[in-house]
Amino acid sequence: MASSRLSLIALGVGAYTAFAVGTFPASVAARLFAPDAVALAGVTGTVWRGSAAFGGASGLTLSDIRWRIQPVQLLIGRLSLDLDARLGDGFIRTGMTVSGSRMRFDGLRAAVSLAAVSHLLPADASGNASVELEILELVDGWPVQASGTMRLASLASQPWIPVPGITTLQFGNFIARISTGDDQVVAVVNDEGGPLELEGSARLIPDRRYRLEARVKARADASQALAQGLTFMAPATGGGYHSIALEGQL
């Protein structure tokens, strides 16, 4: 009888705690618990279901952010939520789970113009990017598992070497098919039409190492500036292809 009474008391306390936390204002929680690297503004709603007008972290800026936390996962030490936000002139939607240094995204969908995220890119580029990942898992910020596709459409950039009268190089459309195997995240990249013919791969290896390999070739309708730029990068081999290989550690 005593144990039943204690169980009822514990259930009541648990229900009250869940209700109290669930109605806790998200704006207060953001001030108290958000990491220093994360900035949020215009926060409304509750901890479980809230929104923010703007948010930023590591140079990435989002707007019209909405989230819904799954409280059951907190019982096993995981923060699990559904996230929906505007990313520049595009969007991002994903399920997200955080546990210690491990972060997992499920059903990640995103699209954005390269111009809107130009500050994150190593070089000036234009075009549109879209991502569809069934899973993306990071440990200490490094991808250890991924599956899905990434596309670049109408990719263009400034010329690699100055060419009189040429301000933009057109490359075309590309797709990367991403998978995981042998402790590596591998992206197999091919063109989907355009001035640049490409086949290659990118590998992310443990210890934050990467390896890039590609064969590229300017198609007959490509600009002379593109063909010259490829020759400048690497001499042509059999069939007019230029081989590129890069590796290093981040």
Side-chain angles (χ1 to χ4, degrees):
M1 187 65 120
S3 62
S4 298
R5 194 174 294 119
L6 286 174
S7 298
L8 288 173
I9 292 173
L11 180 61
V13 171
Y16 174 78
T17 301
F19 173 78
V21 174
T23 57
F24 194 70
S27 56
V28 177
R31 289 197 299 270
L32 293 176
F33 305 119
D36 293 338
V38 177
L40 294 172
V43 180
T44 59
T46 67
V47 171
W48 295 146
R49 188 188 294 264
S51 64
F54 298 99
S58 302
L60 184 67
T61 301
L62 303 177
S63 61
D64 297 332
I65 306 165
R66 296 183 296 278
W67 69 82
R68 184 179 61 187
I69 292 177
Q70 301 172 18
V72 174
Q73 293 292 318
L74 294 175
L75 298 176
I76 55 176
R78 295 176 182 168
L79 173 62
S80 185
L81 57 92
D82 296 318
L83 179 69
D84 191 338
R86 300 292 300 176
L87 172 60
D89 51 8
F91 72 92
I92 180 170
R93 289 192 296 269
T94 185
M96 181 177 172
T97 301
V98 181
S99 178
S101 62
R102 189 175 295 269
M103 183 178 297
R104 174 177 169 133
F105 300 87
D106 290 286
L108 173 62
R109 302 290 184 269
V112 68
S113 72
L114 297 183
V117 292
S118 59
H119 60 290
L120 300 175
L121 303 177
D124 249 352
S126 62
N128 297 288
S130 62
V131 177
E132 294 187 3
L133 295 178
E134 298 310 313
I135 181 174
L136 170 62
E137 189 168 3
L138 312 176
V139 174
D140 291 326
W142 186 254
V144 297
Q145 186 177 5
S147 176
T149 59
M150 176 178 178
R151 281 185 161 88
L152 292 173
S154 303
L155 180 63
S157 78
Q158 294 180 342
W160 302 318
I161 53 176
V163 178
I166 302 294
T167 58
T168 303
L169 288 179
Q170 302 290 337
F171 299 105
N173 307 315
F174 305 90
I175 182 172
R177 296 175 175 86
I178 304 168
S179 60
T180 307
D182 297 328
D183 295 326
Q184 301 178 18
V185 173
V186 182
V188 177
V189 186
N190 296 96
D191 72 272
E192 293 191 307
L196 182 66
E197 183 179 343
L198 180 149
E199 58 180 35
S201 66
R203 297 176 181 272
L204 300 178
I205 308 166
D207 300 328
R208 295 182 178 271
R209 290 180 293 130
Y210 66 88
R211 184 178 299 123
L212 308 176
E213 298 175 328
R215 291 199 321 155
V216 294
K217 179 181 179 180
R219 288 194 167 96
D221 59 350
S223 67
Q224 184 178 1
L226 176 59
Q228 289 177 342
L230 293 178
T231 301
F232 177 78
M233 290 177 61
T237 57
Y241 288 95
H242 303 263
S243 296
I244 300 169
L246 296 171
E247 59 180 298
Q249 189 169 27
L250 297 175

